[in-house]
Amino acid sequence: MEPVDTSACVHCGLCLPSCPTYLVTGDESESPRGRVVLLNQLWGALAVGGSGDPGAARAVDSCLDCRACEEVCPAHVPVGHAVEAFRARAVQAGHRRRPLAARAAARYFGTARGLRRFQRLGQWAQRPAGRAVLRASGRLGGTAGAAAHLGTGLPEPVGRRLGREGIRFGGEGPSVALFYGCVMDSVYQATAAHAADLLRLSGYRVVSAPQQVCCGALHTHAGDPGQAEAWARQNVAGFAAAGAEWVAVTAAGCGAALKEYEHLLEDDPAHESARQFQQTVRDVAELVALGRRPPLPARVQAVTVHDACHLAHAQGIRQEVRDLLRWAGYELVELPDADVCCGSAGLYNLTHPAMAAALQRRKVNTIPEAADVVATSNPGCLLQIQAGLRRAGRTTPAVHWVDLVWQAASDAGVV
Amino acid sequence: MAQHPADADQASEAALDALAEAGRRGACLVPVGAGIRQHALEAWDTRPVVPWASTRFQTIRRWSVPDLTAEVDAGLSWGDLNQRLAQHGQWLPVGVADGAPDTLGGIVSAGVNGVWTGGYSPIRDRILSMTVAVPAFGVVRVGAPVVKNVAGYNLWRLYWATRGTFGIVLTITWKLAALPRATATITCADDGPVTARVWEAARRWGDSLPTVPALATLLLTIHPSGWELVGIAHGGDPAMDRVRRSLGAQIGAGQDVERPATLPGGVVWQARLPREGQRLVMEALSRSGASAGAELQSGMVWGYGHQPDGASQEMAALVARHGGTFRHWDGPWRGLGVPPAEADMWQRLKTAVDPQGVLPGWRAEAEA
Amino acid sequence: MGVVEDLRRVVGPGSVRTDAALLDAYAQDAYTLATVRPLAVVWPASADEVAGVVRVLARHGVPLVARGGGTSLSGGSTPVPGGVVVHVSRLNRILRVDPLASVAEVEPGVVNTWVSRAAAAAGLTYRPDPSSQQACTIGGNIAENAGGPHCLRYGVTLNHILMADVVWADGRQSRVGTLAGDPEGLDALSLLVGSEGTLGIITRAWVRLEPVAEASATVLAVFGTVDEASETVSEVIAGGIVPAALEMMDNLAVSAVERGQYRVGYPPDLGAVLLVEVDGLTEQVEEDAARVQAIAARHGVAHLQRAASEAERTLWWANRKTAFGAMGLISRNYYVQDGVIPRSRLPEALRAIEQVGRQHTIRIANVFHAGDGNLHPLLLYDGRDAGEVARVQGAGHAVLDVCLRLGGTVSGEHGIGVEKRADLARQLTAPEMAFQRAVKDAFDPMARLNPGKIFLPL
């Protein structure tokens, strides 16, 4: 793994307040500009066979990879990507263990069978025995405690089939295949079906793409690009076989990863097909926003939107989600700092529980009381924000915007 | 090393001579302009007091018409300056509240603000640079004669309202304005004390012109039998038509009565207050049957010494209660305030600038 | 007892950091020609902790620099050798927005744009808008007397700070300035603003808010030559129009920002582009915009366009304001200068600067506040080439010589810092320098606060 070029950084500092870890700590070494300095230092150490200063490595590793800094950087210095590259190199060099959570993710998310196991874990978490165990381990702290806390953010009840099994195919118009995602598929099952309904409503033909696997984003972030590359090749081939014009994604994290396959498979024979695949990937919001929108009546619920990092910063999508919620008749309430990370960030809430909890508190504290629902577009954010709201004793639900818009369309009898 | 035109001129030499002479005689040199805002000289100091008559020098040193800047002798009056600037369509938006012919140096040294403070910013904010005669350093330039400058400390601000404490102001470089292409004047008046109606009218006038500044001046005058509100706008013809139309439609507003924006002569104190404080002070003055004026966009208030003695002291207390700052030009000079935490630092600066104490000093406030 | 232990006792052990590797993240601000690793970084959580830190450091004879966003372009927040960085990043609360008095009460670590965002609901805004406003802090803005494009009409930071709490060099605290906006007695606030952290540390500030004008128009004028653009600027100013902002970028600058995050789509062969914004009453805006356009037309404008929407206006400004950072796209390093000239001398100043570039074989891009005569030549270089670094520094001083020769000043808004100490000494006479030093010596006699800035060692 080679260092990512950050030499376009002229140290202007415009990125600092966009960085969630800097907002929490006020420490420049945990800011994008600081991390660029520390990364240079660490790569320098690696080049001469050392492992670099452990404190510097920790400061780099506390990056959420939320991409907020990349979005505001005048010279688009790819700090997030540079951190990912360093993590991978450190794992490769044996200076850093592949995180436990990444190994767990590989076990669960690689196959449909794994996802069903993950789903059963979620169901168990909602049974009395499971709840008791979660409560006990929630007090432990560390990764186990963080995982237990996150369990409290699960939607109730976690269903018994995968999301992909509920999709109604068909419709008229350009063809689109849904990317299922892992947590979306196993925990937020209804969303896939709702997304398919909305796509058909707005003028697409939903087709099946059965040969797909996890996008690999969690592994890329955690410093395991090997696994991510393997899955990327499977997905590129699988969607090519399905032959749809578009690939629609409901999870912002997956969408951002799929849109970077060209980069991920840079030196791979599959590079060209990855490039072609990447151009067909769209968030569901992008596709629906461009489609037909029959008028829908006003609703009484007020919604506030949390911008998932990998939707807002990595894909530049903000307005579409709000436009669609307005179309569905919801009243929008402004969320201050809507695009500051909630602390979920893939597996970050398991690997860095203290920072994740600080960002979760920040996020929950800014959610206005006037909002009946928090809408977002990534399963990690849904879990994290829901768990945070429950911990704060609030009953406000966190819901995927697709489900909210679908509900409005369904009530109006158009889906 | 930079050369400045003031280095070797007459005023500089005269000022340096006067400082040296005062030093030799153990006297205190006090700058005097037109004498309008001057306290009794003997009240300045226990030492003999020697006046520095700035009015000996009244030229425009340099006027860069395309830059809208001019360097002017401190002894020139604002009225004379504006008369000369008008030939190229420019002016310094001072307008001393009671129309008196204060010198520019006097305006700076006494900290006078005028009726255009709301529309054209306080006078202090139009100063770019000065040349000053300082006992320890000779004639030096403070600030720079361009419209933006952060090279070193803002030394010119040491001379605002400090009456010669840190040196004698010789020239001032001003940021000028273009004369308005058109004006619109709106008035509104009534008998009796100021009531909610005044503030309501002022608020509506402001609300109907959402910009900064809404008006060149919004001047409220009170007198024992009533009040008058005058709003004057500056701008192009279309905007002035709009001002007349929209303000003219407001309650009781008379249109386009051409009138100068000044108060009756004899202002002896000036205050600046936060918005709410200004309202309360003007209501209190109005109830007591006093005469005063206020520029409602800037918080400025000007008043008269209707009681022979101690009037301004009473007023100072009223203004302070409402969060304002106060300057008085009657009775004995009461000196400059220095908070105890800053006293050592200011004393060190004073000693460095004026080692022999040739210039006026201040009395330190007691430790709280 | 060591200084670090004493600091820990004041701010708590978690708020002092001394690990060498991490301190490298603090070794520079946005001026990258100076690098100093500090002794430690301290994060105070209150004004009293700031005062405690100052007292501890005074006792141990250790100097300090207060740091906000670390975006100074003159090295104002570069650490001082053997000194401590007092990072006020955790003092970042907006304590109050008072719509009636039009004042915001904020802590020094509050980011510039946060203030306007908090005031927006009341229809108010905080005017000074340095291009780094998304990251620079109010404390730093005060220390550097920050400017920005819209200071042309609305004034610089100095004109917008009403009152402040300050910790002096001996650890004493006082409140300077008044909410009324006029000084009472001796005016320490005016000295503190622009003092580059050398006289005291701001721990709280009351800043003036102003209503947003009902209308504004932003005009983009593309010229074939820099001369045509600068003559347009001079005529706009001489015509008595006071635009809210009047900005210029030349070809090289445009070529960088057009590769950056915010692309306007400028023609590649332009000589210079002017961004002119007028605001006020609708009728006045229409009249002023028409006058500006007529003046541009008289000077051979190639393309004239008025922003059709707020989104378009925002894009134009984002393009302009990220120009410095975007230099990374056309050059390994850049060095921005910040001189001021009388604005009527713009055409000859730009010609002279071009000559400086040729003489020193340094590429120079220009992005600046034309209406103020505040030039920002961006000198492009490669920091790995020692010869080029020397040439770029020589060119920087030569640019300032141009400003001084035309009757200007060596800094309009970035400050002296470590960068321009020699230039300041050239601008001022020896007695004027002595007067400046007298202030520093009076307020900080032991030279504890950001020593080595503004003044060269005697």
Side-chain angles (χ1 to χ4, degrees):
Chain A
M1 206 68 193
E2 291 301 308
V4 167
D5 183 14
T6 56
S7 65
C9 175
V10 290
H11 225 251
C12 70
L14 296 199
C15 53
L16 264 64
S18 74
C19 178
T21 57
Y22 178 75
L23 287 176
V24 168
T25 62
D27 182 343
E28 174 127 5
S29 67
E30 294 196 51
S31 79
R33 180 170 68 173
R35 289 192 180 107
V36 167
V37 172
L38 298 180
L39 278 168
N40 287 338
Q41 199 188 76
L42 288 165
W43 281 109
L46 288 176
V48 295
S51 58
D53 180 86
R58 263 196 307 278
V60 165
D61 198 40
S62 79
C63 169
L64 294 146
D65 203 3
C66 74
R67 308 287 164 88
C69 55
E70 296 188 8
E71 196 187 19
V72 301
C73 175
H76 21 228
V77 173
V79 184
H81 294 83
V83 169
E84 276 176 5
F86 174 73
R87 279 182 185 146
R89 180 69 173 78
V91 169
Q92 209 177 50
H95 301 312
R96 184 179 187 278
R97 278 163 52 82
R98 243 177 97 203
L100 179 71
R103 281 176 280 157
R107 175 177 146 79
Y108 287 120
F109 299 150
T111 60
R113 228 169 96 214
L115 286 177
R116 283 181 214 284
R117 278 205 299 271
F118 183 72
Q119 190 173 53
R120 281 197 293 278
L121 191 66
Q123 287 154 359
W124 168 80
Q126 290 175 340
R127 284 200 290 271
R131 283 181 202 278
V133 173
L134 287 191
R135 264 196 305 278
S137 35
R139 287 190 286 269
L140 288 176
T143 298
H149 166 60
L150 217 51
T152 67
L154 288 168
E156 298 196 20
V158 171
R160 296 195 166 275
R161 44 182 209 179
L162 293 182
R164 63 184 79 175
E165 291 157 10
I167 296 174
R168 276 165 292 181
F169 297 104
E172 293 298 323
S175 59
V176 54
L178 273 162
F179 183 80
Y180 305 139
C182 42
V183 180
M184 288 308 298
D185 200 24
S186 55
V187 175
Y188 298 96
Q189 305 99 334
T191 309
H194 293 164
D197 290 351
L198 290 180
L199 284 165
R200 281 189 284 106
L201 172 67
S202 53
Y204 296 88
R205 183 166 59 87
V206 180
V207 300
S208 166
Q211 298 167 52
Q212 54 173 296
V213 287
C214 173
C215 66
L218 297 178
H219 297 78
T220 309
H221 300 170
D224 185 5
Q227 179 68 73
E229 285 163 29
W231 282 341
R233 278 189 293 271
Q234 285 187 46
N235 278 325
V236 168
F239 279 94
E245 288 165 72
W246 300 108
V247 177
V249 190
T250 53
C254 304
L258 296 174
K259 286 179 176 181
E260 289 184 356
Y261 269 9
E262 184 189 354
H263 171 74
L264 183 66
L265 297 179
E266 202 151 19
D267 306 315
D268 198 277
H271 179 241
E272 177 53 27
S273 40
R275 193 184 64 78
Q276 286 169 12
F277 165 76
Q278 177 176 320
Q279 285 169 354
T280 65
V281 177
R282 293 289 182 279
D283 190 84
V284 172
E286 293 176 273
L287 293 175
V288 176
L290 287 175
R292 237 185 359 241
R293 284 193 246 164
L296 294 172
R299 300 176 72 80
V300 289
Q301 272 179 310
V303 179
T304 196
V305 177
H306 161 72
D307 291 301
C309 296
H310 285 93
L311 196 67
H313 305 309
Q315 302 183 57
I317 300 168
R318 290 182 166 84
Q319 203 47 49
E320 289 86 340
V321 173
R322 290 171 173 78
D323 288 348
L324 292 172
L325 284 165
R326 273 199 204 92
W327 161 54
Y330 295 96
E331 183 201 335
L332 288 197
V333 184
E334 198 199 338
L335 175 65
D337 291 331
D339 64 353
V340 172
C341 184
C342 63
S344 160
L347 299 169
Y348 191 91
N349 40 16
L350 303 181
T351 56
H352 295 77
M355 178 63 77
L359 288 167
Q360 184 188 45
R361 273 194 302 277
R362 226 185 126 90
K363 181 57 70 181
V364 169
N365 288 342
T366 55
I367 292 172
E369 292 290 343
D372 300 311
V373 191
V374 182
T376 188
S377 37
N378 195 52
C381 309
L382 286 168
L383 273 174
Q384 176 86 346
I385 293 173
Q386 189 67 75
L389 283 163
R390 289 201 176 126
R391 179 183 267 167
R394 292 173 66 174
T395 54
T396 319
V399 182
H400 199 295
W401 68 266
V402 162
D403 299 335
L404 291 171
V405 174
W406 180 86
Q407 192 61 53
S410 166
D411 290 352
V414 296
V415 295
Chain B
M1 198 169 291
Q3 283 294 317
H4 299 302
D7 278 351
D9 67 34
Q10 266 189 321
S12 304
E13 273 172 35
L16 294 175
D17 287 349
L19 285 170
E21 174 65 12
R24 273 194 298 278
R25 289 175 45 196
C28 175
L29 189 70
V30 175
V32 178
I36 299 160
R37 319 287 166 199
Q38 194 68 51
H39 299 266
L41 286 186
E42 59 277 13
W44 278 99
D45 208 284
T46 49
R47 293 165 294 171
V49 170
V50 182
W52 161 258
S54 68
T55 45
R56 287 162 60 194
F57 304 99
Q58 305 199 2
T59 58
I60 295 179
R61 300 290 189 96
R62 190 162 43 185
W63 178 12
S64 175
V65 176
D67 285 317
L68 285 96
T69 61
E71 181 176 13
V72 180
D73 277 334
L76 189 65
S77 79
W78 68 275
D80 287 348
L81 174 65
N82 278 338
Q83 216 164 27
R84 294 189 215 174
L85 294 178
Q87 60 176 293
H88 284 298
Q90 297 181 1
W91 69 311
L92 178 66
V94 190
V96 165
D98 56 3
D102 296 49
T103 62
L104 294 162
I107 286 170
V108 169
S109 286
V112 177
N113 261 324
V115 292
W116 308 113
T117 303
Y120 287 89
S121 77
I123 283 300
R124 188 173 66 147
D125 291 351
R126 294 207 157 256
I127 300 170
L128 300 174
S129 174
M130 297 178 185
T131 51
V132 289
V134 183
F137 307 116
V139 172
V140 292
R141 176 175 291 286
V142 288
V146 281
V147 295
K148 219 165 167 191
N149 170 40
V150 296
Y153 305 119
N154 300 317
L155 297 183
W156 74 94
R157 286 218 164 178
L158 288 173
Y159 297 87
W160 180 258
T162 54
R163 299 201 170 263
T165 301
F166 296 102
I168 305 289
V169 178
L170 298 176
T171 72
I172 305 156
T173 304
W174 298 99
K175 182 160 130 185
L176 307 175
L179 279 167
R181 294 151 71 83
T183 67
T185 307
I186 304 292
T187 63
C188 169
D190 204 355
D191 294 337
V194 293
T195 59
R197 189 175 155 216
V198 175
W199 314 112
E200 178 62 15
R203 190 185 61 75
R204 286 203 197 181
W205 290 10
D207 284 355
S208 57
L209 303 172
T211 181
V212 179
L215 292 163
T217 185
L218 179 51
L219 196 62
L220 171 69
T221 332
I222 57 170
H223 47 85
S225 56
W227 56 267
E228 185 187 31
L229 193 59
V230 181
I232 301 180
H234 289 167
D237 283 320
M240 294 306 99
D241 285 345
R242 146 95 178 274
V243 170
R244 286 184 204 103
R245 250 194 345 269
S246 69
L247 299 197
Q250 305 290 340
I251 38 166
Q255 286 189 48
D256 258 335
V257 186
E258 273 301 334
R259 63 197 328 289
T262 52
L263 308 176
V267 165
V268 295
W269 60 263
Q270 170 190 290
R272 193 165 184 205
L273 292 127
R275 196 165 300 161
E276 186 64 6
Q278 185 188 38
R279 183 175 72 81
L280 295 171
V281 164
M282 287 302 279
E283 282 179 357
L285 285 168
S286 174
R287 275 195 306 272
S288 73
S291 293
E295 206 284 320
L296 300 185
Q297 303 172 109
S298 59
M300 295 301 306
V301 177
W302 297 274
Y304 301 85
H306 55 100
Q307 290 166 35
D309 216 25
S312 64
Q313 243 152 327
E314 215 174 274
M315 281 312 307
L318 176 69
V319 166
R321 266 205 307 284
H322 293 109
T325 54
F326 187 83
R327 300 188 203 298
H328 68 102
W329 300 311
D330 64 341
W333 170 237
R334 292 200 289 272
L336 297 164
V338 188
E342 300 169 25
D344 296 351
M345 300 183 292
W346 284 111
Q347 195 52 57
R348 281 194 291 266
L349 182 61
K350 173 71 172 164
T351 306
V353 166
D354 179 19
Q356 285 182 279
V358 176
L359 298 166
W362 64 82
R363 288 181 315 214
E365 285 170 19
E367 186 97 36
Chain C
M1 190 58 78
V3 60
V4 172
E5 286 70 33
D6 282 355
L7 287 173
R8 291 205 165 111
R9 211 162 309 155
V10 174
V11 295
S15 298
V16 182
R17 180 158 260 178
T18 56
D19 18 352
L22 294 182
L23 294 180
D24 281 342
Y26 281 90
Q28 296 178 328
D29 51 25
Y31 174 70
T32 52
L33 287 166
T35 304
V36 178
R37 183 193 276 178
L39 182 75
V41 179
V42 184
W43 291 269
S46 66
D48 285 343
E49 286 192 4
V50 173
V53 165
V54 169
R55 277 194 300 269
V56 163
L57 294 176
R59 202 162 62 235
H60 289 274
V62 173
L64 66 93
V65 57
R67 183 176 175 117
T71 56
S72 168
L73 290 162
S74 60
S77 44
T78 304
V80 292
V84 166
V85 171
V86 179
H87 200 185
V88 297
S89 54
R90 292 180 190 170
L91 294 172
N92 63 358
R93 292 173 303 165
I94 295 176
L95 299 161
R96 195 164 122 89
V97 172
D98 181 344
L100 181 66
S102 303
V103 174
E105 180 182 349
V106 304
E107 292 187 316
V110 165
V111 171
N112 176 296
T113 46
W114 297 357
V115 181
S116 289
R117 216 167 58 188
L124 298 170
T125 189
Y126 177 65
R127 292 286 182 187
D129 62 337
S131 294
S132 57
Q133 70 184 132
Q134 70 182 69
C136 60
T137 60
I138 294 297
N141 288 176
I142 295 173
E144 299 291 332
N145 189 10
H150 289 81
C151 292
L152 174 58
R153 173 158 184 166
Y154 294 103
V156 294
T157 303
L158 181 63
N159 310 117
H160 291 85
I161 307 300
L162 296 168
M163 191 162 84
D165 283 347
V166 55
V167 172
W168 300 105
D170 59 6
R172 286 218 255 182
Q173 303 182 51
S174 67
R175 182 162 291 181
V176 297
T178 68
L179 285 178
D182 214 27
E184 182 116 295
L186 295 172
D187 176 19
L189 179 61
S190 290
L191 290 180
L192 273 167
V193 178
S195 66
E196 309 195 21
T198 62
L199 302 183
I201 301 177
I202 305 285
T203 56
R204 188 172 292 197
W206 286 258
V207 306
R208 187 201 307 281
L209 304 173
E210 280 165 352
V212 181
E214 73 173 7
S216 75
T218 310
V219 175
L220 196 92
V222 178
F223 295 87
T225 68
V226 170
D227 268 8
E228 290 166 347
S230 47
E231 280 156 14
T232 300
V233 171
S234 295
E235 195 175 328
V236 166
I237 297 298
I241 303 170
V242 185
L246 176 42
E247 301 283 304
M248 193 193 291
M249 287 192 280
D250 70 4
N251 181 294
L252 190 53
V254 166
S255 78
V257 280
E258 286 291 286
R259 285 187 218 186
Q261 207 69 269
Y262 308 99
R263 296 177 188 88
V264 170
Y266 289 120
D269 55 344
L270 60 80
V273 57
L274 285 184
L275 198 54
V276 193
E277 190 159 287
V278 291
D279 67 5
L281 295 181
T282 309
E283 295 80 358
Q284 194 63 53
V285 165
E286 290 307 318
E287 185 183 344
D288 289 348
R291 286 178 69 199
V292 167
Q293 288 174 326
I295 292 170
R298 271 205 295 285
H299 291 278
V301 70
H303 173 75
L304 203 53
Q305 189 183 347
R306 207 171 131 170
S309 64
E310 183 56 28
E312 192 164 44
R313 172 183 177 269
T314 307
L315 171 68
W316 292 356
W317 277 113
N319 173 286
R320 158 64 187 88
K321 289 196 171 184
T322 51
F324 291 5
M327 289 302 140
L329 295 167
I330 58 168
S331 172
R332 177 117 196 153
N333 300 89
Y334 79 96
Y335 172 34
V336 57
Q337 264 307 351
D338 168 43
V340 185
I341 50 149
R343 41 209 175 170
S344 59
R345 314 290 290 273
L346 208 50
E348 61 185 298
L350 291 176
R351 281 194 292 269
I353 288 169
E354 199 191 327
Q355 187 142 16
V356 167
R358 270 201 308 274
Q359 275 163 1
H360 293 77
T361 38
I362 291 290
R363 285 190 300 160
I364 300 183
N366 283 292
V367 183
F368 61 98
H369 312 307
D372 288 321
N374 188 181
L375 306 175
H376 288 321
L378 295 149
L379 287 57
L380 309 183
Y381 70 102
D382 185 337
R384 294 167 301 186
D385 176 345
E388 197 162 294
V389 172
R391 282 210 313 282
V392 83
Q393 283 173 312
H397 294 302
V399 162
L400 295 180
D401 280 338
V402 170
C403 297
L404 290 178
R405 201 171 66 232
L406 295 173
T409 176
V410 296
S411 182
E413 55 183 9
H414 296 173
I416 301 300
V418 289
E419 176 203 2
K420 290 188 187 162
R421 295 173 298 177
D423 303 300
L424 180 67
R426 285 185 302 146
Q427 176 179 336
L428 303 184
T429 63
E432 286 163 359
M433 274 310 280
F435 195 175
Q436 292 278 347
R437 279 184 196 274
V439 174
K440 171 68 176 171
D441 294 344
F443 280 75
D444 179 20
M446 304 302 283
R448 296 283 181 253
L449 303 178
N450 212 8
K453 307 295 171 71
I454 303 179
F455 308 104
L456 286 169
L458 276 175

